[in-house]
Every structure is written in structure tokens, then in C-alpha cells.
Amino acid sequence: MDSPLFSFIDSLSPIEPLKSTYSASSIQAYQSLNITSISSIFTSPHDNAQKELKLSKSSFAEFSESEVCADESDKNKPSKSSNAVRLFACTSTLTQANQKMTSSASKGTVVPAEGLNDLPQPGQFDTGSPDHNTRPCHGVRSDLKQGKVRKLQAFQTAKTNTSEKRKCLFSTEVQLLDGSQPGKLNDEILGCEWDDLISATSGELIAYDEDHKGVQLAVSNAESCGFLLSKLTGDGDISDRTHPTSSTQTYYRELLMEEDQTENAQLVLDGEKNISSEEIQDNLYEANECIPTDYKVETQQQRGMRRRCLFFEAAGYSNRIMQKESVMDLSVSTGKGKSPVQNHPNPGKTPSPRVLRGIGLHLNALALTPKGKMICQDPMTSLVPSSATQQDAHGKLLSAGENFVNPGGDLLELQMDDDCSAEIFLENDHDSSQSNSPQKKRRKADNGDDGEACKRCSCKKSKCLKLYCECFAAGVYCSEPCSCQGCLNKPIHEEIVLSTRKQIEFRNPLAFAPKVIRTSDAGQDTGEDPNNTPASARHKRGCNCKKSSCLKKYCECYQGGVGCSSNCRCEGCKNTFGKRDAAVSTEAEEMKQGVGEAENCGKEKENDLQKANVQPEDHPFLELVPITPPFDVSSSLLKPPNFSSAKPPRPTKARTNSSRSSSKAPGAVHSQKSSKIADSGSNEEMPDILRNDASPGNCVKTSSPNGKRVSPPHNALSVSPNRKGGRKLILKSIPSFPSLIGDTSSGSSMNNSQSTFSTASPLALGPSEAGC
DNA sequence: GAGTTTGAAACT
DNA sequence: CAGTTTCAAACTC
């Protein structure tokens, strides 16, 4: 901070305080933002990826050169709005040179108007071509990141000028452009700058970056954008800002600390407060941001992934793991470890944030259906921090997957999609999605192995604004691969999409919730015993199959790789993953709790056997299924609120749940084990989700939510007295989740933030983002 | 690739 | 809330 650079920068930062403009715009953006943000959220990851790619490649180069110059000049003068972005990039270059800029909060004002303006104006980006999407995303993300950045910066005390930050953000691009710098930049990369920019927008901050020549922020920004969107949508943002959760703060602090903060004074900026939820999210992403330039690409992809991927959650989870374990890798690449994530002593925290991102529950469901395919794609990207090369990323992902116990299965799948993600995104970015092009799909399929990996719809009458549309249901924007007609599920129509989403959610709060809930155990189980996993997971609503005997994809349960449960109203159920009767019995047992355990065991065993027979061979996904838990986690973040508000989609389920819940205590399942207690009847679903979430992180595994069905025998957990051991377990997981998120703040804080989000933005795109 | 089947989603 | 219609995916040929 103190370094001459600082002073130098300060002198440089002629950039006028765009704050006002920026802040105003930013604010507006936030407020209105949701739309943009939403779009960003929904925007298919593909788009983002594309944009990023473009930027990284051609754009960067261009920017780097022309813009850089401009940047310098810009530094003194606010650049043009449109150019702002580029300028940022340029600035990034500058930043590279000077990167360390500290702007005090007071300086925050310094933020270059241009950049700020630009950033704040997501709309501009959006309007643009497919690229727009990316840009907007950046903007959004930048905003999101800003929060993070703020935190980081704040923590760092470093005060970077918004302009600088902007630069940084773009710098990442620049870096990309400049092949030479990447290495250095990587080190420097800090999402911070972006964050700073964002923060600047928010007005809070000031960020500064020190050395971070390049800023990968852009990448993180994209992600952050998603968060922002979610935040925005969620209102939570504001609330969060106003009331930063202790946990978040702590988290940020830690992040900051981890990063370079040591270098920078640990000042807490005003922004810190503001950071709150957003920051949290950002933090989550931060890891990504932090990731070295190399990761940038991946991160970008991740964006797309997030949006799209159902596995989002899983990805997030995996990311966590990745970060934790792989963090080292990242740090290595980055060299400086500025990325909080990497540095984070507490991997858990960082991961948790990501997990939060994973919010997109829907995705889970989708993911399930795709069976891994989808998962593969996005998750991969999302999971992978961002390695220099995708391949690396893959490797990382894989590694990450390995690391993940539960997610592991997911990870595998994720890997698959590298191709898909990249290509798809690229293609998707364009609006073409609407245009019917089965070919695209094919392509995806071809590329992704699983054509399904990438979600694509063929809607003709629904305009992709109904749950009929898989993309929409998954919380992702339609992309090129889609062969839909009259598609309105595009970033350009964010508002429409959001409003529609809200309507649907209003009608059915769980509409976008993951259809299949997996117990945390599932992952483990799957890993260990494929048989169990399926059992663990259950379709929330349950199916209503009559002719398919729950043996075809028509059956959502089957499609999701889960057995039918008491919630199902199917006739002649022959679900290989678990028959309804069995499920019912299991539930009954659960109801009985301890009492019927023995019986359940027997039944479950049978089920398991069946499953075992079927699953392994027939349903690879089962493994995938475990993924859901992670998603759930993320989803839990978003959705919990929703759930709270949400009405049980179907009374029947609710009923069952309620009955179950009765035994369980709502909410608070702070301790994992306590989770048992926790199940609140009301939240059964939520709990499940949460459970899932928690599971990944915690031990969910230990307890098998699945318990219901899965084999109680297998898991003592199942034994859980409560009607559904699995669920109980889930609850447990929930508590754990919070803990993961922020040890400091504790789950509660997290929960709050989450809840706010969820509530705030029905869209939540979290999912989409998460989505991947 | 076209047509049919299926069951969820949406509507009444 | 129940019944019907609409819709798009899944499936079949």
C-alpha cells in the first residue's frame, strides 16, 4: 500500500470520481439491476464464456493496445462509457504497471467516471450483441465482485481507485491479450479491482490493488454478476449491504487477509459493511477471481456453467473443494495468492461462498435429468477455478472431483463438458438460441458426448418462459443449442424472464427448486454404493406416472435417478431406483422413526438391491445424483428464503413432510447432528435442499439423508429416528453448511444472507448462475 | 426425421 | 381443489 506505486497511483487516479455517476448508475443498476443482473444470471454461461473468450482473445488484444493507451489517458480522464469496459481493460494494463492503487474510501470517489459509468450500465452491455451478454455479465459481475473486492480491499485497507479497479477487471482481459503478462498478471489478478470498481459503484469502496497487474476480476466479475443479479433480485443485496453479516465480514476479512492484505493495512472500508450478501457471494466467487489469469478462462466458463449447470451447486461445492485442495494449485499459478480463496486458510469458507453461488437448485433437477451430462458441462467450468487452460481446468476439476467425496461423482461428469461448455457457450451466446437449430444441439451432443450435457430446449409455444422449457426451468438462458422458437428466455429479455419467473414462483415457490433432493449421503453412497445413492435422493414432488411405470424418463423420479417416494402418486411403480411402496414404507418407518428401523432396513435392502442391480448398470447418473446435494447447498442459500415463503408445491408432499417435520424441529439445525432436530416441517423441502448442501460440505455423508429410502441399514443414519433419516441428516447438513460458510459468522449469518437473497430474488438466479 | 406417447405444467 | 388442456420431452418407428 505504502509503496510508491500507491502514491503514484493516487496521483494518477485523476479519474474523477465517477462515483457519483457510477455509484448512481451502479445503484440503479442494482436496483434495476436485477434485470440486468438477472439477465446475466440467466445468460447462459455460454454467452459469458464466449464473451470472455472473445475478450480474452481478440478483444483483449485490441483493448490492450488501443485501449491501454486510452486507459492511461483515461486514468486522468474518465473514459467513454462504452469504452469504459475496454478502458478498464486498459486501465488494467495500467494497473499492471501501477496496479497497486490505493484509494481510500474517500478516494473511492476517485473512481473513474467512465469505467464506473460503463460498469454500472449493464444495460448497455446487455443490449449489445451476444457479446453484450458477456459484457453485461462482466458489468454485473463486476458489481458483484465489487462487493467482494470491497471486502477484500477494505480488508486489505487498500484503497483502490474505482478506476483502477475497473482497470483491473478489464486488466484481466488485457492480460489475456497480452500473453506476456499473464503470468505476472495472474499473480496480480485480483478480482479485487473489479470488486473495487464495483465497490466504487456501490460507492463504498476503494480498492486498490497492489501489484495485481492483471486482474482476473473480469472473470470473477462475471460470476459476481450472477451473484449481483441474485442479490439484486433478492433485495438481499441492499439489506446485506446495510447489514453485513458478521460472518460475511469475517469471511471477507479473512479473504483479505489471505490475499495481500497483509500488505495492505487491514482497513475495513465502508464498503465492507455494504458488502454483506453481495460480498459474500463475491467472496464465494472470489476464489475464482483470485484465481490466476490462467483461471480466467475457466472462470469465465464457470460463469456459463453456473448459469447453466444444474450441477451448479455441485460445481460450487466441488469448487470449494477444489479451492481448498486445489487452491494450492491456483495459488501456484497465481503466484501471489492474492486470491483470497487460494489463500484462505479456511478452505471451508471460500468454498462455502461458492457453494452459495451454486444456489441454482433447479439446475440440480435438470442436472439430474441430464444425468450428469449437464452437470459435466457447467459444473466443470464452475468447478474448475480457472486454470490457464481448460484442460488444466479439467484436470483440476477432475482432481477436485477426486477430492470431493460426495461431489466426486459429479465432478466426473463435469469433466465431460469442457467441450460443451466452451463451445456451447460460444454458440449460445448468440441469440441464435431462438433460431431452431437442432444441429446446434447435436453439436453439443457431439462435443459434449452427452448431447444432453448442455441443456437445450425445443420450445415452440411457451417462448421458453414456462417450466415446460428445460432451460427456463433450469434457470438458464436459452442458448444456441436450443432449437426453441420465439424464445424470450434470453438475457435481452431479462425483465420478462424474471417477471415470469417470479410469477411462476409465486404460483409455486418450489417451481424452480430442484426436483430431486438428494441427501448428502447420496454422494457418498453413490461413491461407495451406487445403490444407496439413488435411494437417498428423492423427488420432492413425486411423480404421477401411470403408464411408464416409473421406468422411463417420463418419470421425473426415474429421470432424476431417484426412487419414488411416498410423495409420488404413480401407478404400477417399478422405479428401479426405488419403488414407491418401499419409499413409503421407509417414510413410515421414519415416521415411526426408531421403531420401524428394522423393517425399513429390510425394505430398503430390497430397494437397494434393486437399485444396485439397476443403478449401476442402467443409471450411471446415480452417481451424479449425489451432486444434487451440493446444489442443494447452494440452492439452500437462495432458496431457503424461497422455501420459507414457498408453499409446498403439492399439499400431499407437504403433508407428508409436515407429518415428518412434526417430529423434527424446524430449523435450526445448527449442528449437523442437530439437524435431526432441525427438520422443520415447513421446510422439509428446504431442509432437504439444505441437507444436500450441507451434506457436501459436511458430513452429510455421514448421515444419509437418503436415509429414507436408501438403506437405513447401510447408514445408521437412516436409522435416524425421524421419519426420514435422510432428511434429518440433511438438516444436519444444513447446520454444517453454515459452519462451512463462515465459521466466524456461523451459518446463521450465512443463512440470513442467503435468505435475503432467496427472498430478494425469486429468480435467484442463483440457480441459473448457479446455474451455472 | 416424423410421428406418437407421456406426464408435467398450465389453465379453467 | 379437481378436471381439462396445453406443452414439450421422451420415445418409437
Side-chain angles (χ1 to χ4, degrees):
Chain A
M1 295 300 292
D2 296 352
S3 67
L5 291 177
F6 232 64
S7 60
F8 174 76
I9 291 167
D10 292 349
S11 62
L12 290 178
S13 63
I15 296 168
E16 298 174 357
L18 292 182
K19 286 184 176 181
S20 62
T21 58
Y22 179 80
S23 63
S25 63
S26 65
I27 294 168
Q28 293 174 345
Y30 285 103
Q31 295 173 341
S32 66
L33 93 164
N34 300 339
I35 296 169
T36 57
S37 64
I38 294 167
S39 61
S40 64
I41 293 167
F42 278 92
T43 56
S44 62
H46 303 292
D47 295 349
N48 294 346
Q50 291 176 348
K51 291 178 180 178
E52 291 176 355
L53 293 175
K54 291 178 180 178
L55 293 175
S56 65
K57 294 178 181 178
S58 63
S59 301
F60 284 8
E62 293 175 355
F63 288 102
S64 64
E65 294 175 357
S66 64
E67 289 179 354
V68 170
C69 299
D71 291 349
E72 292 175 354
S73 64
D74 291 350
K75 290 179 180 178
N76 298 337
K77 298 175 182 179
S79 61
K80 297 174 183 178
S81 64
S82 63
N83 294 341
V85 172
R86 293 179 181 179
L87 291 177
F88 290 104
C90 296
T91 56
S92 65
T93 58
L94 292 177
T95 56
Q96 292 174 345
N98 297 335
Q99 292 185 341
K100 296 176 179 179
M101 298 198 48
T102 56
S103 57
S104 61
S106 61
K107 290 179 180 179
T109 59
V110 172
V111 175
E114 294 176 352
L116 295 176
N117 292 343
D118 294 349
L119 293 176
Q121 300 170 342
Q124 293 175 344
F125 297 100
D126 293 349
T127 57
S129 57
D131 292 349
H132 296 296
N133 295 345
T134 57
R135 289 179 183 177
C137 295
H138 291 290
V140 173
R141 291 182 181 177
S142 64
D143 294 348
L144 295 178
K145 288 181 179 179
Q146 289 175 345
K148 293 177 180 178
V149 172
R150 292 177 184 174
K151 292 178 180 179
L152 295 175
Q153 292 175 344
F155 292 100
Q156 291 173 347
T157 63
K159 298 173 181 179
T160 57
N161 294 341
T162 56
S163 64
E164 291 176 352
K165 291 178 179 179
R166 293 176 182 175
K167 291 178 180 179
C168 294
L169 294 177
F170 292 84
S171 68
T172 57
E173 293 177 353
V174 171
Q175 291 174 346
L176 294 176
L177 294 177
D178 299 354
S180 64
Q181 292 176 343
K184 293 178 180 177
L185 294 177
N186 291 345
D187 294 350
E188 294 176 352
I189 297 170
L190 302 178
C192 297
E193 290 178 350
W194 252 87
D195 293 348
D196 293 351
L197 292 176
I198 294 166
S199 64
T201 57
S202 64
E204 297 173 354
L205 331 109
I206 317 168
Y208 79 141
D209 239 22
E210 298 186 13
D211 300 318
H212 315 299
K213 296 175 181 177
V215 176
Q216 290 176 338
L217 295 179
V219 171
S220 62
N221 290 343
E223 294 176 353
S224 64
C225 292
F227 287 105
L228 291 176
L229 293 176
S230 64
K231 291 178 179 179
L232 292 176
T233 57
D235 297 353
D237 294 350
I238 295 168
S239 64
D240 292 350
R241 289 180 181 176
T242 58
H243 305 286
T245 60
S246 62
S247 63
T248 58
Q249 292 175 344
T250 56
Y251 176 77
Y252 286 101
R253 290 178 183 175
E254 291 176 352
L255 294 176
L256 293 176
M257 297 296 292
E258 289 177 353
E259 290 179 351
D260 296 342
Q261 295 173 348
T262 56
E263 294 176 355
N264 297 338
Q266 293 175 338
L267 298 181
V268 174
L269 296 181
D270 298 348
E272 290 178 352
K273 292 177 180 179
N274 294 341
I275 294 164
S276 69
S277 63
E278 291 178 352
E279 290 176 351
I280 294 167
Q281 292 176 342
D282 292 348
N283 291 343
L284 294 177
Y285 293 98
E286 285 176 357
N288 294 342
E289 291 177 353
C290 294
I291 296 164
T293 55
D294 292 351
Y295 294 90
K296 289 180 180 179
V297 173
E298 293 177 351
T299 57
Q300 292 174 344
Q301 292 176 343
Q302 290 177 347
R303 292 180 183 174
M305 299 299 288
R306 290 178 182 174
R307 289 179 182 176
R308 288 207 155 189
C309 290
L310 296 180
F311 296 83
F312 208 47
E313 294 174 354
Y317 179 77
S318 63
N319 289 344
R320 293 179 183 175
I321 296 167
M322 294 295 294
Q323 291 174 346
K324 292 177 181 178
E325 295 178 356
S326 67
V327 166
M328 297 178 64
D329 296 347
L330 295 177
S331 65
V332 172
S333 64
T334 57
K336 291 179 179 178
K338 291 179 178 179
S339 63
V341 172
Q342 294 174 342
N343 294 345
H344 287 294
N346 299 343
K349 290 180 179 179
T350 56
S352 64
R354 288 182 180 179
V355 170
L356 294 177
R357 290 181 180 179
I359 296 166
L361 298 180
H362 303 290
L363 297 180
N364 295 343
L366 294 178
L368 293 177
T369 50
K371 297 169 184 176
K373 292 178 180 178
M374 296 184 66
I375 294 166
C376 297
Q377 297 173 341
D378 295 353
M380 292 300 291
T381 58
S382 63
L383 294 178
V384 176
S386 58
S387 55
T389 63
Q390 292 176 344
Q391 294 175 346
D392 294 349
H394 291 293
K396 289 178 181 178
L397 293 175
L398 294 176
S399 64
E402 292 174 354
N403 294 344
F404 294 104
V405 175
N406 296 340
D410 297 349
L411 292 177
L412 294 178
E413 292 176 352
L414 294 178
Q415 294 172 344
M416 328 173 16
D417 299 73
D418 296 347
D419 298 349
C420 291
S421 63
E423 293 178 354
I424 292 168
F425 293 165
L426 294 177
E427 293 177 354
N428 291 348
D429 292 356
H430 300 287
D431 295 352
S432 62
S433 63
Q434 293 175 344
S435 63
N436 302 339
S437 59
Q439 294 176 347
K440 290 178 181 178
K441 290 180 180 179
R442 291 177 183 176
R443 272 176 146 196
K444 289 180 180 179
D446 295 351
N447 293 343
D449 297 351
D450 304 349
E452 294 176 355
C454 302
K455 219 156 214 220
R456 48 199 185 285
C457 64
S458 299
C459 303
K460 293 178 180 179
K461 295 181 179 179
S462 68
K463 296 180 181 178
C464 298
L465 292 178
K466 293 187 177 182
L467 292 175
Y468 295 125
C469 176
E470 289 187 0
C471 297
F472 180 81
V476 301
Y477 288 114
C478 292
S479 60
E480 291 180 354
C482 296
S483 60
C484 48
Q485 296 177 353
C487 178
L488 294 179
N489 183 26
K490 294 182 179 180
I492 295 172
H493 302 291
E494 287 180 350
E495 292 179 356
I496 296 170
V497 172
L498 293 176
S499 63
T500 303
R501 242 183 109 95
K502 289 179 180 178
Q503 292 177 355
I504 293 171
E505 286 184 340
F506 178 80
R507 205 185 301 159
N508 177 6
L510 296 178
F512 293 93
K515 293 179 179 178
V516 175
I517 298 169
R518 292 180 183 178
T519 60
S520 61
D521 294 352
Q524 294 174 342
D525 293 351
T526 57
E528 294 175 354
D529 298 344
N531 295 340
N532 295 343
T533 41
S536 65
R538 287 291 179 280
H539 195 269
K540 288 183 178 180
R541 285 191 174 182
C543 64
N544 191 28
C545 304
K546 293 179 179 179
K547 295 180 179 179
S548 67
S549 299
C550 300
L551 290 174
K552 294 186 178 181
K553 279 188 154 187
Y554 295 124
C555 175
E556 289 187 356
C557 296
Y558 180 88
Q559 191 172 29
V562 301
C564 291
S565 66
S566 61
N567 292 336
C568 297
R569 299 168 295 288
C570 51
E571 296 178 358
C573 178
K574 294 178 182 179
N575 189 333
T576 57
F577 293 99
K579 294 180 181 178
R580 176 186 173 191
D581 295 348
V584 172
S585 65
T586 57
E587 290 177 354
E589 290 175 354
E590 291 177 354
M591 296 296 291
K592 293 177 181 178
Q593 295 179 345
V595 176
E597 293 176 353
E599 292 177 353
N600 291 341
C601 296
K603 292 179 180 178
E604 289 178 351
K605 288 179 181 177
E606 291 176 354
N607 293 343
D608 293 347
L609 293 177
Q610 293 175 345
K611 291 178 181 177
N613 294 338
V614 173
Q615 293 177 341
E617 296 174 354
D618 296 349
H619 306 282
F621 346 141
L622 294 181
E623 292 175 354
L624 295 179
V625 172
I627 295 166
T628 53
F631 289 91
D632 292 351
V633 173
S634 64
S635 66
S636 65
L637 294 176
L638 295 179
K639 294 202 165 178
N642 292 345
F643 287 103
S644 62
S645 65
K647 301 172 181 177
R650 294 182 182 178
T652 57
K653 292 179 180 178
R655 292 176 184 175
T656 58
N657 292 343
S658 65
S659 63
R660 295 176 183 174
S661 66
S662 63
S663 65
K664 298 174 182 177
V669 177
H670 298 298
S671 63
Q672 294 174 340
K673 294 178 179 179
S674 66
S675 65
K676 294 176 180 177
I677 296 167
D679 295 359
S680 56
S682 64
N683 294 344
E684 291 176 353
E685 291 177 354
M686 289 302 292
D688 292 348
I689 294 167
L690 295 178
R691 293 171 186 174
N692 292 342
D693 293 351
S695 63
N698 301 337
C699 23
V700 174
K701 298 174 179 179
T702 57
S703 62
S704 61
N706 301 343
K708 301 180 181 183
R709 299 207 160 192
V710 179
S711 46
H714 293 285
N715 295 343
L717 294 179
S718 62
V719 172
S720 65
N722 296 345
R723 53 184 172 178
K724 295 178 181 179
R727 293 182 181 176
K728 291 178 180 178
L729 294 176
I730 293 166
L731 295 177
K732 293 176 180 180
S733 66
I734 294 167
S736 64
F737 171 77
S739 64
L740 292 177
I741 293 168
D743 298 352
T744 60
S745 62
S746 76
S748 63
S749 64
M750 290 301 292
N751 292 344
N752 294 345
S753 65
Q754 291 175 345
S755 65
T756 57
F757 290 103
S758 63
T759 57
S761 60
L763 298 184
L765 294 186
S768 63
E769 292 175 352
C772 333

